Amino acid sequence: KNIEEVPFKAGLLVEMLKLMDEGTISIKIAKDIFPEVVLKGTSPREIIEKRGLLQITDEWEIRNVVEEVIKEETDAVEQYLKGKEKAMGYLMGQIMRKTKGKANPSLASKILKDELEKVKSASNN
């Protein structure tokens, strides 16, 4: 498309940035919807509602997924407990996979660290 043909409106970008700032969408979701916002002039809120892309910020829901991942990925948990920091990234990846990238990353990371500390404490006793 020629730049003259793009129906982009600056207000849509502002709307998308606000959704990110509020924690309604993640940076990954913003990247996914960006082309549609810019090239089609579609409202970011309309896209995320239509596609069910709202970020999961419910702590209880994320905690359940974290607990599932810890139970399923015992090798990675073991590696983490032995000091392999890369295992944390792998576990986060599994959480994001299970939530289709919709879990709030900072909240998921915090909960994962909390849960791993519980596992560490339990294994030291």
Side-chain angles (χ1 to χ4, degrees):
K1 282 190 170 187
N2 290 332
I3 193 74
E4 299 82 32
E5 297 171 20
V6 175
F8 175 71
K9 297 170 195 80
L12 295 177
L13 185 58
V14 171
E15 183 184 336
M16 191 164 76
L17 293 171
K18 279 184 182 171
L19 290 169
M20 288 171 58
D21 195 45
E22 295 165 356
T24 304
I25 61 173
S26 64
I27 186 115
K28 181 197 177 303
I29 293 168
K31 286 178 184 176
D32 289 348
I33 69 171
F34 187 76
E36 195 171 337
V37 171
V38 173
L39 299 175
K40 294 182 180 170
T42 311
S43 156
R45 189 168 296 278
E46 188 181 314
I47 298 167
I48 62 172
E49 286 172 2
K50 186 169 65 182
R51 291 201 214 157
L53 295 174
L54 287 175
Q55 184 165 247
I56 301 167
T57 55
D58 181 308
E59 194 168 329
W60 181 82
E61 192 176 344
I62 293 174
R63 189 169 301 278
N64 282 339
V65 173
V66 168
E67 288 171 359
E68 262 178 50
V69 168
I70 286 175
K71 282 181 191 140
E72 292 168 4
E73 301 294 342
T74 52
D75 289 348
V77 171
E78 197 67 34
Q79 293 298 311
Y80 176 79
L81 295 176
K82 289 179 181 173
K84 301 240 187 313
E85 286 296 319
K86 284 184 181 175
M88 173 71 100
Y90 174 78
L91 293 168
M92 270 301 293
Q94 296 309 302
I95 292 163
M96 296 313 273
R97 184 181 60 78
K98 278 187 174 285
T99 62
K100 296 177 176 64
K102 294 194 279 185
N104 175 300
S106 58
L107 184 56
S109 177
K110 179 189 171 302
I111 293 170
L112 177 60
K113 285 178 185 162
D114 290 349
E115 291 302 314
L116 287 171
E117 281 306 310
K118 288 179 190 173
V119 171
K120 195 177 200 174
S121 296
S123 68
N124 287 338
N125 292 335

